[in-house]
Amino acid sequence: MPPPATTPSNEPSPHLVLTPALMVKILYSKKYGVDLPRFTHKNTAILHASTKEDDTIRYHSLHDNKYLQYFKGHKGRVISLEMSPVDDCFMSGSLDKTVRLWDLRSPSCRGLLNLPASPVVAYDTLGLVFAVGVNQYSRILVYDQANFDKAPFLTITLEDPTLSLVSFPPRAIYMTSLAFSTDARYLLVGCSGGAHYIMDAFDGHLLAKLEGHMGLERRKLDIPLNIEPSRGCSGEEVSWTPDSKFVVGGSLDGKICVWDVQNIPPKEKPVDLKSPPVRIMPMSVLEGHPGPSRCVKFNPRFAMLASAGAELAFWLPDPAGDPEEIAKELLKKK
C-alpha cells in the first residue's frame, strides 16, 4: 500500500485519502495480454486491446471470462481505444496509422481513416463528434460522427510557442490521449513530455499549459531524454474530474498532480499560433506512489480517484469534521 496522501505545507489540502481495495475476482488473458481496458454499456463486459499474438481487439465477458467477439483488422499495436458514450460503437487508433470505427454487434469494421502518423482518438460527451490527434504533425482533426467519411469540419494545430524558450528548434510534442470536457467546450491533450494542454474545442485556440509534473516518456528518472519524443509506456496519465473543473495527472516521480482549470481566460480573436497559453502549476500535489504514477482516472459517477503504477491505489474524499455532525446538519436543512 502506498504511503498516506500528503501535500506540501504551502499547498491547500486536496482532502483525499487512500483506501484499501476489495478484490472480487481475477480474470486472465495470458495468451493475448490486456491493454487499454474499456467498460462497455454493460458492466459485465469490457473491450481491450492485445499485447501478444496479434493486434485484435477483444470483447471480454467478465461474468464467465469468455470472449464474446473479436475485432480484427489492425496491422499494428492498438494505442488508443474509446467507447462511444451513447451507443455500442467504439473507435481504435493503431501504430499502423489508421483509425477504425466499429460496432460491438458486428466483427466487421464500419469505417476506416488512413492517416500520415500514429493517432489518438476521443469522443465528445454526447457522441456527436470525435477527435483524432495525429502525432508528428501536431494536428487534431474533429469529425462529425454521422459524416466521418467526409473531411473534418475543424483542424486544430497544437503549437506551443513557449517551447522555443527552452530549446531551439523546440522539442516536438507527442500526444498520448485526448479527452473532451463535460460541456464539450475544451479538449484536454495529454502528452508524454513535461506538459499537458487544454484547447478550445470550438475554435482551436491553445488556452492553457499544465506544468509541474515529470513526463512519462521515460521509464526511470535516471534515463536521459531522447531528441525525438516518444509515447512512453502510458497514455492514461491525465484526466478530467467529472465536473471538468480540475485535471488530475500522474508523474514520473510518483506524485499525483491536481490542476485548477476553472478560470481559464477565453480567447475571442482569430487563432494565433504565436499566442502563448496560460501556464498553470498544480494547486496540490499528492504523494501517492513510490514509483512512476502512470495511470490516473476519476470515477465519472462517484467521488473516487484511481491511480496506478507498479501498484493500484484508490482515493476517497476525507470530509472535514465529524461525520455524525455533518449528517445532522444535512437533516436540519431538509
Side-chain angles (χ1 to χ4, degrees), residues 29-34 49-56 58:
S29 180
K30 293 183 177 180
K31 183 177 180 180
Y32 304 109
V34 176
S50 308
T51 59
K52 298 181 287 186
E53 293 286 329
D54 56 27
D55 301 299
T56 299
R58 289 173 167 81

Side-chain angles (χ1 to χ4, degrees), residues 36 38 74 76-82 91-101 112-122 130-141 143 174-178 189-190 231 234-235:
L36 304 174
R38 298 288 185 265
H74 282 300
R77 182 170 177 171
V78 174
I79 58 173
S80 188
L81 184 64
E82 292 298 327
M91 285 188 300
S92 57
S94 167
L95 291 177
D96 63 10
K97 302 179 183 179
T98 66
V99 169
R100 291 179 179 265
L101 289 84
L112 174 65
L113 300 176
N114 288 293
L115 300 162
S118 59
V120 291
V121 298
F130 64 87
V132 177
V134 185
N135 274 306
Q136 282 84 48
Y137 290 84
S138 298
R139 297 292 189 274
I140 300 171
L141 314 176
Y143 291 85
Y174 198 103
M175 295 178 280
T176 57
S177 66
L178 299 175
V189 184
R231 177 183 177 82
S234 188

